[in-house]
Amino acid sequence: VSYFIPKQKKIVIISNTFSHGNSKIFYDYLLKKNINFKVFCLSDSIENNTIKFRSFYGLYHFFTSKIILSSHGIPKIKSKNQVSISFWHGFTIKSFGNLTFDKFTDYSKFVDYEITQSKFFNFVYSYCWNLKPNQFLEFGEPVYDFYNSPLNYLTESEENYVNSFNNDTVLYAPTYRDSKYSSDGGSIDDILIEFLKLVEKNKSLDFILSLHPYEKISNKLTNLIKSYKNISFSKIHTEKIMPFVNTVILDSSSLYFHSIYLKKNTIIFFPDIESYKKTRGLVYDNFEIIPKNLIFKNSLEFDNLLTSSFPNELETLRNLFFPNELINPNEKLLNFILKKLK
């Protein structure tokens, strides 16, 4: 039925959230441009400038738009006279697509183009999502436009916040363990308690804890964390903090690739790695993308690395992941969209 509905010169961006990430960054970029088409943000979460996807107006704009952009999941109801472009919400370390325990093989049927950073990402996406070489656009995700010039995207209050960081500030950003989408690995409370041993031992360093938006921790643990003077909960979204810290501690997050792009001192703290492999699985069981000597189960094992610089082990991987600097990814995506709208 969608095929027979006339398409207008407009685009819809579909995302779980428009408060941060690729969708937010590209939308903000479009607002600054003198574009000759309309943009509508569709989401099931009610935020500023969004329309509920599963509503009359949301479905109306979806079915009458020529271009569909998506970052969380894929719209499985697009027609052949629509162009579907995915920039996902980050290339993950956790398993996805054909690498998951529940096989997922229909992605390529509903996505015309996938935004990637290089041929390495093309290779993994083609394996996981059955995509073909002509479906990849090596522009770089919109978030890399932010990383190239972060101050262009920060508000005044956000800029004041990041300017307050010390030179050796450490960011810890674990991915979710228990959310409405899945329960993976061990207990986030247990992981954070183990991490606090590191905080306690390094009282001269400032730590920022940036939990996944879907993660919830106990009130008891929240109060315990607040009792430490050298660790605080993040006040803005994680990617906005990353350019302004020295060290980034992660586990199975897509921020791993962002941290490498930014040449940050990158550490993988993964105490529940074995249970995580069993419940969710990891991409690097199949693609060796993390040096084993940078993966730690106990927080005090990497105590001496907190003030280090970009690890030499990651330099080679950076050349693999990002053989070319990602110049103006948002501009490249906009130009591609304009050609498709003609």
Side-chain angles (χ1 to χ4, degrees), residues 11 13 25-35 37 39 69 334 337:
I11 71 173
I13 305 177
I25 291 170
F26 188 62
Y27 178 67
D28 286 349
Y29 171 80
L30 291 178
L31 292 180
K32 298 176 182 178
K33 306 298 289 185
N34 185 24
I35 55 176
F37 57 86
V39 183
L69 295 174
L334 174 58
I337 289 173

Side-chain angles (χ1 to χ4, degrees), residues 145-154 240 243-244:
D145 213 26
F146 165 76
Y147 288 142
N148 290 338
S149 53
L151 294 179
N152 290 344
Y153 287 90
L154 295 181
K240 293 185 176 182
F244 305 98

Side-chain angles (χ1 to χ4, degrees), residues 145-164:
D145 213 26
F146 165 76
Y147 288 142
N148 290 338
S149 53
L151 294 179
N152 290 344
Y153 287 90
L154 295 181
T155 65
E156 183 178 355
S157 62
E158 289 171 339
E159 187 174 343
N160 290 336
Y161 175 58
V162 298
N163 284 338
S164 70

Side-chain angles (χ1 to χ4, degrees), residues 163-174:
N163 284 338
S164 70
F165 298 167
N166 294 324
N167 292 335
D168 291 330
T169 296
V170 178
L171 169 66
Y172 177 40

